[in-house]
Amino acid sequence: MDDPDAMDGLEVTGCERCPALVESRSQIVNGVGEPDAELLFVGEAPGAQEDREGEPFVGRSGDVLTEALGERGVAREEIRITNCVRCRPPENRDPHVEELENCRPYLECEIDRVDPDLIVTLGKVPSEHLLDRSVAVTKEAGSVHDVRIADTSRRLLVSVHPAATLYDRSQEETFAAALDEAVSLAGVRSEGGGGGDDQSRLGEF
Ligand code: URA
């Protein structure tokens, strides 16, 4: 899928497809990072801080993600990070199906243009959205799937959302194992590096 209206390169500008989100957002939060990244992380939707700063994963869950990447020798700038939905839902509710569908062409376009070796879905919403089925994220974290996205076969790895580690310490290991797998599959490791299923409302973090 290419050229959804209002997409300039990898940036969406001025989209008004979702009236409730146009109301709740202060700005559109586009993906960030390397435009040719081998690793593309896909989250759910911007939270409050992302909405303020105009960048995905800059709140507490972003800190978890950035730190976990750093521990594996991967800088945030080397990879790409985006969301299924680019506008903050009111009160951090989950995006509605029609909002996910409205934003899908932008995500597909970004995936197409970045052409990553591996897509990592962070949490239930992006995992279910891209795999098009229900996903028990904690159970399936670390699993790798071939999935067709916009007529192209893509490799996708399921991960728990980084915010899950903030309210359930037992998810730390699950998240760490998924990231280990992601970094190794995408071959992005540079020098250095070491080492419940409630995945909704994670934008709060
Ligand atoms: N949670 C997400 O899913 N995306 C963000 O950008 C921030 C928090």
Side-chain angles (χ1 to χ4, degrees):
M1 150 74 69
D2 213 75
D3 197 31
D5 60 15
M7 193 143 190
D8 174 14
L10 293 166
E11 306 273 295
V12 178
T13 51
C15 178
E16 304 209 325
R17 291 181 188 183
C18 307
L21 302 192
V22 170
E23 196 61 33
S24 59
R25 77 183 180 206
S26 14
Q27 56 186 314
I28 295 171
V29 179
N30 284 298
V32 288
E34 177 57 48
D36 295 314
E38 273 137 21
L39 202 43
L40 171 69
F41 287 87
V42 181
E44 179 180 315
Q49 194 154 342
E50 289 76 19
D51 179 65
R52 271 194 300 275
E53 295 188 28
E55 180 169 337
F57 284 96
V58 287
R60 288 174 66 203
S61 51
D63 293 343
V64 173
L65 177 61
T66 306
E67 196 179 309
L69 286 166
E71 284 166 0
R72 289 160 181 80
V74 180
R76 195 177 150 97
E77 301 69 43
E78 289 176 69
I79 51 112
R80 191 155 185 95
I81 310 177
T82 196
N83 279 306
C84 294
V85 165
R86 292 173 193 248
C87 300
R88 183 192 182 200
E91 273 125 53
N92 296 320
R93 65 156 167 75
D94 284 355
H96 293 159
V97 173
E98 59 278 16
E99 293 163 350
L100 286 163
E101 288 313 316
N102 284 342
C103 222
R104 174 115 186 173
Y106 302 136
L107 179 60
E108 289 188 354
C109 193
E110 186 168 18
I111 291 171
D112 204 44
R113 292 176 186 177
V114 173
D115 192 23
D117 281 353
L118 182 69
I119 296 169
V120 181
T121 48
L122 296 170
K124 193 172 185 68
V125 169
S127 301
E128 295 193 338
H129 186 49
L130 290 178
L131 287 173
D132 197 25
R133 64 169 171 82
S134 63
V135 176
V137 182
T138 304
K139 223 160 82 193
E140 296 191 42
S143 61
V144 180
H145 308 266
D146 283 320
V147 61
R148 283 200 83 73
I149 301 174
D151 288 330
T152 304
S153 178
R154 300 285 176 191
R155 193 161 56 154
L156 180 153
L157 182 140
V158 172
S159 171
V160 294
H161 195 284
T165 66
L166 296 170
Y167 57 77
D168 178 358
R169 304 310 289 268
S170 73
Q171 302 268 345
E172 280 176 8
E173 234 174 87
T174 315
F175 181 61
L179 269 208
D180 283 342
E181 182 71 0
V183 165
S184 130
L185 279 176
V188 289
R189 191 189 300 273
S190 39
E191 74 286 352
D197 209 10
D198 180 14
Q199 300 286 319
S200 61
R201 304 185 61 83
L202 296 172
E204 289 167 39
F205 300 92

